[in-house]
Amino acid sequence: MSLDSDVIVDRRRIRRKLTFWRVVSALVVIAAIVTVAVVATPAGRGAFTTSGSIARVHIDGLIRSDNDRVEALERLEKSRAAAVVVHINSPGGTTAGSEQLYDALVRLKAKKPVVVVVEGLAASGGYIAAIAADHIVAQQSSLVGSIGVLFQYPNFSELMKTVGVKVEEVKSSPLKAAPNGFEPTSPEARAALDSLVKDSYAWFRGLVKQRRGMDDGLLEKVADGRVFTGRQAVELKLVDALGDEKTAIAWLVAQKNVKPDLPVRDFKLTPRLGDLTFLRTAASIALDALGLSAVARQVEHAGLVRAVDRLSLDGMLALWQPAGAN
């Protein structure tokens, strides 16, 4: 009986030691992963970017104010990359976010040659970002333009009448928090919103006119809110050439004296650790070592951080959205 007890105690001791070393091993792996991941971020990679490369930047999806993106572009300014190719595939976003991105790209352009490649779409705020560059390349079937500003808000006043709900309020002046969606928009509130939209629209038009060298007649033709194909956009001076990244690099070589044999390396503006394949794999191995195989399989398939992008776009929008889209 005593022998059985000793065996049980020994087994428990061995099991505790094994668990301890598993945890230590997992922590070492995770520490190594974090170190490599830091190098993969713009801050870490900026120190290793050499003058023998061209940086590739992607701007995708809805655009809103993003200080992390601005800081990443500022680090790119200080890097030793020879030039920057910005790929844009965006329907736009908030006017403030688009202006912030435009300003950051203009500052980057002052330090390095920058060329934009329009992939599927550069509309509204996406086009504001594109015209920060001195040269824009688009594919023939790309959609470009949508020069305009939008202010949208839901109005539930008729629904509230139906269900018998009324919102009471006390405010300092008639235009405070107007429109609020709970009552019909007053003529005064609508006029105030119209003034905001027209002022932002005038800023957008002036930016396009200045950056693209358009006369008033051509500006009137392209600034009515519609989008144009890449083929149409070349004729309308919205873009400079048809092509892809190779076309953009050829322009850098011909016009900015960039060496033709430089490699192009991705520079991520907003990296997410869970999106890094090597990180998922290493984390999976660490979890397996801890005996958490079921969790490891979930990490392999879903990543450490699920990319959930629920954007609440507040304020005026420079956004293109086809009719009927949700």
Side-chain angles (χ1 to χ4, degrees), residues 2 9 30 43 58 68 89 102 107 124-125 157 162 257 270 279 303 308 318:
S2 175
V9 170
I30 291 172
H58 287 274
D68 290 337
N89 188 14
Y102 169 84
R107 290 193 297 268
S124 292
S157 57
T162 302
N257 298 319
T270 54
L279 182 59
V308 179

Side-chain angles (χ1 to χ4, degrees), residues 74-150:
E74 288 174 349
R75 288 191 291 270
L76 184 53
E77 286 180 38
K78 301 171 185 176
S79 75
R80 291 177 291 173
V84 181
V85 177
V86 181
H87 289 256
I88 295 180
N89 188 14
S90 171
T94 65
T95 51
S98 302
E99 181 182 2
Q100 182 197 56
L101 177 56
Y102 169 84
D103 289 340
L105 289 172
V106 167
R107 290 193 297 268
L108 176 62
K109 182 176 66 71
K111 300 292 181 65
K112 301 179 185 298
V114 176
V115 59
V116 161
V117 176
V118 179
E119 293 186 343
L121 179 65
S124 292
Y127 187 66
I128 291 175
I131 59 178
D134 287 327
H135 195 73
I136 305 174
V137 176
Q139 295 179 328
Q140 297 188 56
S141 57
S142 296
L143 295 179
V144 179
S146 186
I147 299 169
V149 179
L150 173 70

Side-chain angles (χ1 to χ4, degrees), residues 4-319:
D4 290 341
S5 298
D6 290 342
V7 170
I8 292 173
V9 170
D10 287 340
R11 285 180 176 176
R12 288 178 177 174
R13 186 180 298 114
I14 292 171
R15 188 175 302 164
R16 284 197 297 270
K17 288 182 178 180
L18 182 59
T19 300
F20 171 78
W21 286 111
R22 281 180 174 176
V23 171
V24 170
S25 300
L27 290 175
V28 171
V29 171
I30 291 172
I33 291 168
V34 171
T35 301
V36 176
V38 168
V39 175
T41 64
R45 189 168 48 244
F48 295 96
T49 302
T50 67
S51 57
S53 67
I54 297 172
R56 179 193 292 120
V57 170
H58 287 274
I59 296 172
D60 300 314
L62 295 173
I63 297 171
R64 60 176 177 179
S65 297
D66 186 340
N67 290 329
D68 290 337
R69 179 176 57 209
V70 171
E71 291 174 3
L73 290 171
E74 288 174 349
R75 288 191 291 270
L76 184 53
E77 286 180 38
K78 301 171 185 176
S79 75
R80 291 177 291 173
V84 181
V85 177
V86 181
H87 289 256
I88 295 180
N89 188 14
S90 171
T94 65
T95 51
S98 302
E99 181 182 2
Q100 182 197 56
L101 177 56
Y102 169 84
D103 289 340
L105 289 172
V106 167
R107 290 193 297 268
L108 176 62
K109 182 176 66 71
K111 300 292 181 65
K112 301 179 185 298
V114 176
V115 59
V116 161
V117 176
V118 179
E119 293 186 343
L121 179 65
S124 292
Y127 187 66
I128 291 175
I131 59 178
D134 287 327
H135 195 73
I136 305 174
V137 176
Q139 295 179 328
Q140 297 188 56
S141 57
S142 296
L143 295 179
V144 179
S146 186
I147 299 169
V149 179
L150 173 70
F151 194 110
Q152 284 183 328
Y153 55 94
N155 191 297
F156 306 104
S157 57
E158 293 300 321
L159 175 62
M160 293 174 69
K161 287 181 182 178
T162 302
V163 299
V165 176
K166 184 178 180 181
V167 176
E168 301 286 352
E169 65 181 6
V170 177
K171 54 187 180 179
S172 59
S173 55
L175 294 181
K176 178 63 179 176
N180 56 30
F182 302 128
E183 60 187 8
T185 305
S186 67
E188 294 79 10
R190 188 173 295 278
L193 291 178
D194 183 66
S195 175
L196 290 176
V197 170
K198 286 181 177 177
D199 185 66
S200 291
Y201 178 49
W203 166 79
F204 194 170
R205 285 168 54 98
L207 201 62
V208 173
K209 181 179 180 179
Q210 173 195 354
R211 296 295 303 150
R212 301 305 300 171
M214 294 184 180
D215 58 33
D216 291 335
L218 182 57
L219 182 64
E220 287 296 327
K221 187 174 182 179
V222 302
D224 61 359
R226 76 178 102 171
V227 291
F228 302 91
T229 66
R231 286 160 56 93
Q232 295 172 322
V234 170
E235 297 179 0
L236 296 171
K237 296 181 66 174
L238 290 170
V239 304
D240 298 292
L242 298 176
D244 53 15
E245 184 177 88
K246 291 184 178 179
T247 311
I249 293 174
W251 180 81
L252 288 172
V253 171
Q255 301 297 325
K256 298 297 181 178
N257 298 319
V258 174
K259 295 180 181 179
D261 56 346
L262 294 183
V264 181
R265 297 196 174 103
D266 286 329
F267 188 96
K268 291 188 178 181
L269 300 180
T270 54
R272 293 169 178 164
L273 296 183
D275 292 336
L276 301 176
T277 303
F278 75 88
L279 182 59
R280 293 202 302 269
T281 303
S284 175
I285 293 172
L287 290 169
D288 273 328
L290 292 172
L292 302 175
S293 300
V295 178
R297 300 291 80 76
Q298 293 179 9
V299 168
E300 283 182 359
H301 294 294
L304 294 178
V305 179
R306 185 173 295 276
V308 179
D309 194 17
R310 295 178 179 178
L311 297 175
S312 55
L313 297 176
D314 297 324
M316 285 182 291
L317 307 179
L319 179 67

